Amino acid sequence: MDHRKPFPMLRLPFVPLQEVFKAMDPFEIINFSIISKRAKAITKQMSFCPRYSIRLFIDETLGIEIRGTDKLGLSMYLITPDKRIDGKIVEIERVGFILRRVYKYSKDPVDEWKQLCIYVLEIFKKQTIDVLSMTMDDFVDQNVSIIDFLRTNVKSVDVCYLFQSEEENDVNEHAAYLLNNLKVNNVLNFLLDMKNGNFDGKIPKNLKELHILSSQWIGYEKLLEIDCKRVVLRDNQISNKQWNLFLKKWIAVETHSNLEYLHLDYREIEEFKTLVLHDIPHEVVDGGVKRTINGYLNSHIEINGGIDIRRVDGKTATFFVFQMEFLAMSVN
């Protein structure tokens, strides 16, 4: 018979105790913290906990993912209808880390997800969420409640993904409510199908990246309001005349002074030169000249030729077509 005594973890001095915590995965840290008030207080003293990455997901399931410093990821999902998978644990190996999914049945998944969020944010001492991913038409009746909860309990979000599951669903109002009430710091992936041009959501300022999948609602005035380093506008309806005016403002440093990359739908470079750059000084670079310029996501692209325009402060914008897929403007 095994008569080994339990390990007196709570009696350890702080330094070795912290090393024990570092060997735990996030799931074990949370389980330890709920043992007692003392265990929770000790957990909150761990100085490395704020370095963990917190990601929130709202779609058919509601999830919280915690990525530890040792690359072991934890996802806890609250599933409404299926009791059969309550307590199920699935581990998925990814490049560089393991994703562990823990499933939990709940009659009220939104409320339980909120309570779990509050607890995780407290334990890991997080005010900013690393990633928020929200499908706007999965919990339509509770969207406002979820957004109000985030506004109250989260200072900001670094990266935000907004999706919808069915194109015909109108998510304008709730998407605008989210953008008007939640601060996005770095990246917004706006993957929604807006139903009209009256969308009144505020595009966050000072973004590093902005990706709008269906940008028909981005008119000339909204284009001028965008303040972002790297921008992708797909299916935009901005006219050639308006692009001409936009570039003249860019040359005069009256708009988009921080712009590094602009990605548009495919069109012939000669057509763009004729219809947009007709009265703007530009230089056509010979197609035999290879150059490396800034691309999307901080990448570098090798191009042949291109068309250059220069800003009054000396910055150069290069227009190029990439593999007949898109037209882009790269600022160097």
Side-chain angles (χ1 to χ4, degrees):
M1 183 178 292
D2 190 350
H3 295 288
R4 288 179 296 179
K5 295 182 180 179
F7 181 67
M9 183 171 169
L10 293 177
R11 297 180 184 176
L12 289 175
F14 182 77
V15 173
L17 180 60
Q18 183 159 254
E19 293 304 313
V20 173
F21 265 87
K22 288 180 181 179
M24 295 181 180
D25 64 48
F27 186 62
E28 292 168 335
I29 291 174
I30 292 175
N31 281 346
F32 175 82
S33 72
I34 62 178
I35 293 174
S36 65
K37 290 183 178 179
R38 185 184 175 199
K40 181 179 179 181
I42 290 174
T43 303
K44 291 170 65 176
Q45 293 177 23
M46 296 296 113
S47 59
F48 63 88
C49 281
R51 297 201 297 269
Y52 281 58
S53 169
I54 307 295
R55 304 178 176 210
L56 304 182
F57 301 88
I58 301 105
D59 44 47
E60 292 181 354
T61 65
L62 293 105
I64 303 173
E65 180 180 303
I66 309 166
R67 294 197 174 191
T69 55
D70 59 357
K71 303 299 183 182
L72 178 64
L74 166 70
S75 291
M76 292 179 289
Y77 290 90
L78 311 180
I79 312 293
T80 305
D82 196 348
K83 291 183 179 181
R84 295 172 301 175
I85 59 175
D86 183 36
K88 182 179 179 180
I89 299 175
V90 178
E91 290 192 351
I92 303 172
E93 291 190 12
R94 299 279 177 84
V95 178
F97 68 96
I98 298 173
L99 180 64
R100 176 183 293 180
R101 291 177 176 172
V102 180
Y103 292 89
K104 188 176 187 301
Y105 167 79
S106 174
K107 292 182 179 180
D108 189 349
V110 173
D111 183 68
E112 190 161 346
W113 177 82
K114 290 177 182 177
Q115 297 306 314
L116 184 57
C117 283
I118 290 173
Y119 193 83
V120 168
L121 293 173
E122 180 184 5
I123 290 297
F124 291 91
K125 293 179 278 190
K126 303 289 285 189
Q127 293 183 317
T128 293
I129 298 302
D130 294 88
V131 177
L132 170 66
S133 176
M134 186 169 182
T135 304
M136 303 301 299
D137 54 348
D138 276 339
F139 284 89
V140 174
D141 294 340
Q142 302 206 52
N143 273 347
V144 172
S145 170
I146 291 171
I147 294 166
D148 286 343
F149 167 80
L150 294 171
R151 179 181 62 179
T152 302
N153 293 278
V154 174
K155 182 179 178 181
S156 61
V157 173
D158 281 340
V159 178
C160 181
Y161 292 88
L162 299 182
F163 300 97
Q164 66 186 98
S165 56
E166 302 293 338
E167 287 186 5
E168 64 269 18
N169 293 335
D170 188 343
V171 298
N172 285 29
E173 183 178 350
H174 288 166
Y177 189 70
L178 184 146
L179 292 180
N180 293 340
N181 287 279
L182 191 63
K183 185 177 187 297
V184 181
N185 297 324
N186 296 327
V187 179
L188 173 61
N189 285 278
F190 194 90
L191 310 177
L192 304 175
D193 184 15
M194 295 292 95
K195 292 296 176 284
N196 54 63
N198 297 322
F199 180 71
D200 61 353
K202 296 179 181 177
I203 299 176
K205 299 290 187 181
N206 301 312
L207 291 176
K208 292 180 180 178
E209 298 167 17
L210 173 65
H211 185 168
I212 302 180
L213 181 63
S214 298
S215 63
Q216 297 93 334
W217 55 278
I218 297 289
Y220 179 66
E221 296 301 326
K222 282 191 178 293
L223 173 65
L224 296 181
E225 293 173 5
I226 293 175
D227 179 16
C228 180
K229 289 185 177 181
R230 294 178 288 278
V231 180
V232 176
L233 298 178
R234 298 184 183 273
D235 297 328
N236 77 85
Q237 301 298 313
I238 297 171
S239 68
N240 291 321
K241 182 179 179 180
Q242 290 170 333
W243 280 121
N244 177 274
L245 294 173
F246 167 79
L247 292 176
K248 287 176 179 177
K249 284 182 173 293
W250 179 84
I251 290 171
V253 200
E254 294 177 3
T255 190
H256 287 66
S257 59
N258 295 322
L259 183 65
E260 296 178 356
Y261 179 84
L262 176 62
H263 178 120
L264 305 173
D265 299 318
Y266 172 75
R267 64 190 298 182
E268 293 287 346
I269 192 76
E270 285 297 322
E271 175 192 14
F272 182 78
K273 181 183 72 171
T274 300
L275 299 179
V276 177
L277 301 179
H278 58 88
D279 61 350
I280 295 176
H282 59 272
E283 177 185 353
V284 179
V285 179
D286 186 270
V289 177
K290 290 187 177 182
R291 295 185 290 173
T292 300
I293 60 176
N294 296 325
Y296 188 53
L297 298 176
N298 262 344
S299 63
H300 296 287
I301 299 177
E302 187 176 86
I303 66 168
N304 293 323
I307 300 176
D308 292 348
I309 64 174
R310 287 181 175 79
R311 205 162 66 181
V312 293
D313 63 356
K315 288 279 188 178
T316 298
T318 297
F319 296 93
F320 65 96
V321 171
F322 184 76
Q323 297 181 351
M324 298 186 70
E325 294 180 5
F326 58 82
L327 171 71
M329 166 184 170
S330 175
V331 181
N332 296 274

